[in-house]
Amino acid sequence: MLSTEHAVFLKFALTGDGYGTEPERGAIYALAHQLEEALEAAGDGEVDGHEFGQGNAQIHLYGSDAERLLQAIRPVLRTASLRPNEAVLRFGDVDDEGCRVEVVPL
């Protein structure tokens, strides 16, 4: 991952315990794989993991342009069995606390 990359964080609300149910976690893992394939086909971006806790989950995506990342994955999100509530777009390095950040409801 380059230090100048943009990021998109997909946020999910989960049920069950703090880490969601087994089917929810399975859906997140499957979606992360599908998103990786979509970004690979688009030629820009990567999935850089996911995290679970406190009744939420996130999938982390990085690439050269946050808006292009979101555009590339929208078709996959439309058909996902578990859809994110929102996407947080960061237009700058993750260490840049002053970079522009947008929250997009999904």
Side-chain angles (χ1 to χ4, degrees):
M1 176 174 51
L2 301 173
S3 62
T4 58
E5 290 185 330
H6 289 194
V8 173
F9 304 114
L10 298 175
K11 297 189 171 207
F12 302 80
L14 303 176
T15 60
D17 66 13
Y19 299 99
T21 64
E22 188 173 324
E24 287 173 328
R25 291 189 303 274
I28 296 284
Y29 297 137
L31 179 57
H33 180 72
Q34 292 172 328
L35 295 172
E36 183 70 44
E37 289 177 344
L39 292 175
E40 192 173 297
D44 183 29
E46 65 181 349
V47 174
D48 190 39
H50 39 70
E51 60 185 73
F52 297 89
Q54 300 179 357
N56 297 294
Q58 284 190 48
I59 297 177
H60 307 185
L61 303 99
Y62 294 91
S64 62
D65 183 284
E67 289 176 337
R68 273 202 324 250
L69 283 171
L70 186 57
Q71 182 179 0
I73 65 169
R74 275 195 186 273
V76 176
L77 296 178
R78 283 188 203 108
T79 62
S81 62
L82 181 63
R83 295 183 184 184
N85 301 342
E86 64 185 21
V88 177
L89 284 64
R90 286 187 57 89
F91 296 89
D93 187 278
V94 293
D95 295 328
D96 179 3
E97 293 181 19
C99 76
R100 181 170 59 118
V101 175
E102 289 183 21
V103 177
V104 178
L106 297 174

